[in-house]
Amino acid sequence: MATIQDVAAKSGVSVATVSRVLNGSPRVSPEARDRVRAAIEALGYHPNLLGRNLRRTESRMLLVVAASIENPFYAGVVQGIEAAAHREGYNALLCNTDRDLDREAIYLGMLDQRLADGAVLLSPQLDARAMERLDARHPLVQCCEYLDGAAVPHVTVDNRAAARDAVRYLAGLGHRRIGMIMARTQYAATRVRLDGYRDALDEAGIAHDPALVAYGGFDFENGRTAAVALLARPPAQRPTALFCVSDLVAAGAIRAAREAGLSVPADVSVVGFDDIEYATMGEPRLTTVAQPRPDLGRVAVEVLLRRLRAGAEGRSDGTAEPESIDLPHALRIRESTAPPRNAGPREGTP
Amino acid sequence: MATIQDVAAKSGVSVATVSRVLNGSPRVSPEARDRVRAAIEALGYHPNLLGRNLRRTESRMLLVVAASIENPFYAGVVQGIEAAAHREGYNALLCNTDRDLDREAIYLGMLDQRLADGAVLLSPQLDARAMERLDARHPLVQCCEYLDGAAVPHVTVDNRAAARDAVRYLAGLGHRRIGMIMARTQYAATRVRLDGYRDALDEAGIAHDPALVAYGGFDFENGRTAAVALLARPPAQRPTALFCVSDLVAAGAIRAAREAGLSVPADVSVVGFDDIEYATMGEPRLTTVAQPRPDLGRVAVEVLLRRLRAGAEGRSDGTAEPESIDLPHALRIRESTAPPRNAGPREGTP
DNA sequence: CGCGGGAGTGTAATGGATTACACGACCGAG
DNA sequence: CTCGGTCGTGTAATCCATTACACTCCCGCG
C-alpha cells in the first residue's frame, strides 16, 4: 500500500509537506495542498496509524473492561462510552473478563504495551491497591461499579438514595414486610443499596428484619433462588414486597413468585434496578430504578480524557481528591408494584 | 517508560539479543537470557507494541462489526469470537454501527489505517460490491447474517432448514393456519427463513396464505405491531400459530396476544428464533430455534485467520470459491407451543 | 540598499522494535 | 594445522509518520 513517501514523490513535495497537509497545518501553500490532495486521492493513500501512533506515543484507544460487555445493563453505558470516545477521536476497545482476574490482567496489560491510553472499568476484578498502582501509570476511571478504598475516580448514580427512593415508594404503598434481594459483591456501588433500603425502613418506622434480606448474585437464577427462600416463609411472615438488586434478579423473583402460586403484584410487589429493556418486555412490566446509562458512559470518558490530557502535559498532582461524579437516577413506576392485600395505600400520611 | 534500549544497556547486551529473548529465539546463551530477563524484571519493561506492530506491519487486532454488539443474540457469538481470537494471539475490537453506513465506514477504515488486520461482519451495512472490494485488500468474513451476492465467506446455520424444522413442528402439532412474522432485511440468512417456512407448509399440504405473513424488524415492538395485525383477523382466519424471525419478535407477539385477550399457547402457539437468555426468563418459556453461538464466532475467526495467513504468504488465488460454513442448529421445545384448540395432535400421521 | 522577519518548504532525527547480515570464537574433521 | 561450520552476538537498516531545525525567498521598513 502507498506510504507518505509515495504521496510526496507523486506530488513533487517532501514528506514534511504531505504530513502538514494531512494534519491541517496552515503553513502550506494552496497549490501544494491541492497537489498533495490529488496525489492522495490518486494513490488511495491512507496514513498508517501504526507509524503515526508510534511517533506520537499514543494509541487513541480506550479500554472498556467489564465482566460481560453483553450484559444488558451495560448496553447503554457502552453506547455512551463509544459515542463520547469517537467524538474526541478515540476508539473504544471492548473487553470481557468473565470475572476472571487473569483475563482482566491481560486486557489491562494492553495499557503497558501502549495499545491503549486509558481504561474505563465497569466491573473491576483487581483489588484497590493494584488499581491505584495501575492508575499511577495510566489514567483509569470506574463507571457504575467501583471499589471502596481505591483512590481512582468513579462515575455512578447515588445508589443509596436510589434504593431509598424505591423502598420508600413500597412503604408508601402500605407495605410493612419489605424484603431485599442483595448481591454478594465487592462493589461499594451495590453495597450501599442495602443502606438505602435501611434508610427507607427507618423513615417509615419499620423494624429491620435480617430474615427478609437474601444474598445472591445479579442474575435471573440467583434472583429466583433467593426469592424462593423468602417466599417459602409462612404467609404471616412472608414479605409482601421485594426490592431487588437488579432487573434480572427481579425477573427471577417474579418467576419464583409464580411458581409459589403467588401473583405479582397482587400478592407480592417486586421492584428491580437498572431498567434494562427486558423490564418492559415481560409480564408484568417491572417497576424499577433507571440509571442514565449513556450519560454514565459519556461522563466516564470525559473524566478519563481530562486526566489523560492533564497527564500528557506532565501534571500528576498526586494527592488531589479523585474527581468522582454522581448522576441523577429515576424511579420508573410500572405494573409489578401495588398496595399489599388487606391494606390500602396509606393516603393519610403526608 | 523503559525501552528495549534500556534493557539492553542494563543487561550488557545489544537490543538484538533482548529482542531474541523477547521472542523466544533459541540462538541466545542461557547466561544472556537470564541477564536480560533480570533486567526486564528490574525495569518493569513491557515491549511497546506500537513499535513491534509497525515493524511487523500487522496489528493483531480483529474488527467485530455489528449493528449493535449488545444485541442479546450476538452476546454468545462475540464471546466465541473473542475466545478464538485470544487463543491465536489476536484482540477483538468490538464496533457498533447502529445500522449507520457512515459509522460502519469509519470502523472499516481502520483496516486501511492498519489498526486492524481483518474483520468479522455480523450485520454488514455496505453493499456486496463494496464488501468485495474491501475484501480484496483485507480479509473479511460474514457471520450469522450475510449478503446474497457477495463473494466473501460466511459462517451461519442452515437457516432454511432451521425454519423448516420449526414450522414442521407446528404442523405436526396439528396447526393449519400458521403465520410468520418476517423482517424486512437485506440479509440472505434471514430471508431464506421464509423459504423454509414455505417448505414446511408444502410438506404438510397446507396452502400458502400471503395474508398470514407480516413484515417488520427484529425487535420487540416490531413483533408486537406485526402480531397485532395478524391476530386482529376474524377467529376463523386468525393464525393459531406464529413463527417469528427472532426471540424478541416472539416476545412482542406474546405481548400482542395477551393484549388481544388470547392466551399462549392455548389460543396461539409462538415460536422464536435465536434462543437468547430472555427466551427462558419470560412467561411462557419460548419454544425457539437455537444457534450454536460461540461456535459461529469461533469458526468465523478460524476462517478469517486462515485467510489472513494465506494472504500474508502472498497467496490470493482470486477466483477460488469462498469458504462458507453451515453449523448445526437445534429446535428447543418449551412452553409457548401446543396443539391448536379443537384439534389434537395428528398422531396418525407417520 | 540592507536587514529583520514571515511564509513555505525540505532535511534529518525521532519514536521502539525486528531482523538481515556480518563477525569473532570455537569445534571437529581431514 | 587448516578449513568449514555452528553458535552467540552485534551493527545498522527498516517499518511509517511527525516535527525540530534550517534554509530560501520575498516583502517592507528604515
Side-chain angles (χ1 to χ4, degrees):
Chain A
M1 302 205 68
T3 73
I4 199 173
Q5 317 284 347
D6 302 329
V7 177
K10 176 137 192 150
S11 50
V13 300
S14 72
V15 293
T17 299
V18 176
S19 178
R20 285 191 267 261
V21 172
L22 251 22
N23 295 288
S25 154
R27 341 228 79 205
V28 180
S29 67
E31 308 83 63
R33 195 186 313 278
D34 291 347
R35 269 185 299 140
V36 169
R37 292 226 173 104
I40 287 175
E41 182 71 21
L43 294 170
Y45 167 77
H46 297 266
N48 181 329
L49 291 207
L50 296 175
R52 169 179 298 177
N53 291 341
L54 171 62
R55 184 56 231 247
R56 293 187 174 161
T57 52
E58 65 172 11
S59 63
R60 300 223 134 221
M61 194 81 87
L62 264 24
L63 251 31
V64 180
V65 189
S68 162
I69 282 299
E70 298 93 359
N71 176 323
F73 167 66
Y74 291 125
V77 180
V78 168
Q79 215 143 321
I81 291 174
E82 276 200 307
H86 287 145
R87 204 178 312 126
E88 301 286 342
Y90 281 76
N91 280 301
L93 184 65
L94 274 39
C95 309
N96 271 287
T97 65
D98 282 329
R99 301 199 184 289
D100 182 325
L101 186 59
D102 294 335
R103 288 192 60 183
E104 183 179 76
I106 292 174
Y107 282 121
L108 293 178
M110 296 175 72
L111 291 167
D112 281 326
Q113 297 176 133
R114 254 122 325 175
L115 283 184
D117 298 337
V120 180
L121 307 179
L122 296 178
S123 34
Q125 302 301 309
L126 36 44
D127 63 57
R129 287 305 139 258
M131 193 189 293
E132 287 172 353
R133 269 198 310 275
L134 184 58
D135 184 64
R137 278 175 285 153
H138 315 279
L140 305 178
V141 57
Q142 307 179 83
C143 185
C144 302
E145 297 290 9
Y146 62 92
L147 297 178
D148 235 338
V152 172
H154 54 82
V155 177
T156 59
V157 297
D158 183 338
N159 282 275
R160 181 168 186 162
R164 191 190 301 134
D165 288 352
V167 177
R168 186 186 280 153
Y169 170 69
L170 289 171
L173 287 174
H175 290 280
R176 310 245 88 204
R177 287 195 307 282
I178 303 174
M180 171 159 188
I181 305 186
M182 258 296 278
R184 256 182 294 276
T185 175
Q186 71 267 47
Y187 301 127
T190 298
R191 279 199 275 104
V192 299
R193 292 180 196 168
L194 186 60
D195 299 327
Y197 160 78
R198 289 179 180 144
D199 290 347
L201 293 187
D202 290 344
E203 274 179 20
I206 301 173
H208 299 188
D209 179 353
L212 291 184
V213 179
Y215 286 83
F218 289 93
D219 294 344
F220 179 81
E221 270 307 314
N222 301 128
R224 180 174 167 189
T225 310
V228 162
L230 290 177
L231 297 176
R233 312 186 86 209
Q237 296 166 34
R238 184 200 296 146
T240 61
L242 291 173
F243 171 51
C244 301
V245 77
S246 78
D247 286 348
L248 290 177
V249 164
I254 290 175
R255 159 67 49 85
R258 288 238 172 85
E259 288 174 348
L262 300 171
S263 106
V264 177
D267 298 309
V268 205
S269 286
V270 175
V271 176
F273 207 106
D274 292 346
D275 197 24
I276 61 179
E277 283 67 24
Y278 168 79
T280 57
M281 284 169 48
E283 189 93 25
R285 291 188 189 85
L286 206 54
T287 294
T288 188
V289 177
Q291 305 193 45
R293 290 185 281 164
D295 287 336
L296 285 163
R298 177 177 54 75
V299 173
V301 168
E302 287 168 3
V303 170
L304 187 64
L305 290 184
R306 198 140 53 221
R307 301 190 63 208
L308 203 47
R309 285 163 183 156
E313 290 158 21
R315 276 180 267 133
S316 62
D317 17 32
T319 48
E321 187 68 12
E323 173 187 26
S324 289
I325 298 181
D326 277 355
L327 298 180
H329 61 272
L331 181 64
R332 298 245 190 279
I333 296 168
R334 290 198 272 250
E335 303 155 0
S336 65
T337 44
R341 265 193 215 287
N342 316 325
R346 312 194 305 164
E347 308 274 7
T349 318
Chain B
M1 301 206 70
T3 73
I4 199 172
Q5 315 285 343
D6 302 329
V7 176
K10 175 138 191 148
S11 51
V13 300
S14 73
V15 294
T17 299
V18 177
S19 178
R20 286 193 264 266
V21 172
L22 250 22
N23 294 288
S25 156
R27 340 231 80 206
V28 181
S29 67
E31 308 82 63
R33 194 186 313 277
D34 291 346
R35 268 185 300 141
V36 168
R37 291 225 173 103
I40 287 174
E41 182 71 21
L43 294 170
Y45 167 76
H46 296 267
N48 181 329
L49 292 207
L50 296 176
R52 169 179 297 178
N53 291 341
L54 171 60
R55 184 55 230 243
R56 292 188 174 160
T57 54
E58 65 172 10
S59 63
R60 300 221 135 224
M61 194 81 88
L62 263 25
L63 252 32
V64 180
V65 189
S68 160
I69 282 298
E70 298 93 0
N71 175 323
F73 168 66
Y74 290 124
V77 180
V78 168
Q79 215 143 321
I81 291 174
E82 276 199 308
H86 288 145
R87 204 178 311 127
E88 302 286 342
Y90 281 77
N91 280 301
L93 184 65
L94 275 40
C95 311
N96 272 286
T97 66
D98 283 329
R99 301 199 184 288
D100 181 326
L101 186 59
D102 295 334
R103 289 192 59 183
E104 184 179 76
I106 291 174
Y107 282 121
L108 293 178
M110 296 175 71
L111 290 167
D112 281 326
Q113 299 176 134
R114 253 122 325 173
L115 283 184
D117 299 336
V120 180
L121 307 179
L122 295 177
S123 34
Q125 301 301 309
L126 35 44
D127 63 57
R129 287 306 138 255
M131 192 188 294
E132 287 171 352
R133 269 199 309 274
L134 184 58
D135 183 64
R137 279 175 284 154
H138 315 279
L140 305 177
V141 56
Q142 306 178 83
C143 185
C144 302
E145 297 290 10
Y146 63 92
L147 297 179
D148 235 339
V152 171
H154 54 84
V155 177
T156 59
V157 297
D158 183 337
N159 282 276
R160 181 168 187 164
R164 191 189 303 133
D165 289 352
V167 177
R168 185 187 281 153
Y169 170 69
L170 289 171
L173 287 174
H175 291 279
R176 311 245 86 204
R177 287 195 308 281
I178 303 174
M180 173 160 186
I181 306 186
M182 258 297 279
R184 258 182 293 274
T185 175
Q186 71 268 45
Y187 302 128
T190 298
R191 279 199 275 103
V192 298
R193 292 180 196 169
L194 187 60
D195 299 327
Y197 160 78
R198 289 179 179 144
D199 291 346
L201 294 186
D202 289 345
E203 275 179 20
I206 301 173
H208 300 188
D209 179 354
L212 292 184
V213 179
Y215 286 83
F218 288 93
D219 294 345
F220 179 82
E221 270 307 314
N222 301 128
R224 180 172 167 188
T225 310
V228 162
L230 290 177
L231 297 176
R233 312 186 85 210
Q237 296 167 34
R238 183 200 299 148
T240 61
L242 291 174
F243 171 52
C244 301
V245 78
S246 79
D247 286 347
L248 291 178
V249 165
I254 289 175
R255 159 68 46 88
R258 288 237 171 87
E259 288 174 348
L262 300 170
S263 106
V264 178
D267 297 309
V268 205
S269 286
V270 174
V271 176
F273 208 107
D274 292 344
D275 197 24
I276 60 179
E277 284 66 23
Y278 168 79
T280 57
M281 284 170 45
E283 189 95 25
R285 292 188 189 83
L286 206 54
T287 294
T288 188
V289 177
Q291 305 193 45
R293 290 183 281 163
D295 288 336
L296 285 163
R298 177 178 53 77
V299 173
V301 168
E302 287 167 4
V303 170
L304 187 63
L305 290 184
R306 199 141 51 223
R307 301 189 64 208
L308 204 46
R309 284 162 183 157
E313 288 157 23
R315 277 180 264 132
S316 64
D317 15 32
T319 49
E321 186 67 13
E323 174 188 24
S324 289
I325 298 180
D326 277 356
L327 298 180
H329 61 272
L331 181 64
R332 299 244 190 278
I333 296 168
R334 290 197 273 250
E335 303 155 0
S336 65
T337 45
R341 265 193 215 288
N342 316 325
R346 310 192 307 163
E347 309 275 7
T349 317

